[in-house]
Amino acid sequence: MPEPRPAAAGNGPTRPPLFAQLKPVRGIGLTGGAVSLLAYGLVIRAQAHGDLATVAALRETGILIAAPIATLLFRERFGRLRLTAGAAVLAGIVVLELAHP
């Protein structure tokens, strides 16, 4: 019975292990995770102590801010569909705020 070869044997250069590949961007990843956890905690606190409709409306504005950023920084298309979706989100925010006494 032949001895099994490593998966990368004979297939060209091998890549370093995953953690070695992630080492140059480890700080960015940890910072992003910490900021995400902080943002989640702030939302939970706001929902616990504030008006839920207002907090929900403010959370949805992030989508409206992200669309232009994606268009400007990442060269994503800002077509009719994205414009319609943004208008729907904006209309939902208005309805939430107007329904609230």
Side-chain angles (χ1 to χ4, degrees), residues 3-89:
E3 190 171 318
R5 295 186 313 172
N11 293 335
T14 60
R15 293 187 300 178
L18 178 63
F19 288 114
Q21 293 179 43
L22 295 176
K23 190 173 184 179
V25 292
R26 178 178 46 203
I28 294 170
L30 290 174
T31 301
V35 169
S36 178
L37 184 63
L38 177 66
Y40 182 72
L42 288 172
V43 167
I44 296 298
R45 180 171 169 81
Q47 288 178 341
H49 296 289
D51 181 45
L52 189 58
T54 304
V55 173
L58 284 174
R59 284 187 66 201
E60 296 305 321
T61 59
I63 296 170
L64 297 175
I65 295 167
I69 290 173
T71 301
L72 296 173
L73 294 181
F74 303 122
R75 308 264 189 244
E76 291 185 9
R77 292 187 307 161
F78 196 87
R80 198 177 312 161
L81 181 62
R82 187 166 289 185
L83 192 61
T84 304
V89 169

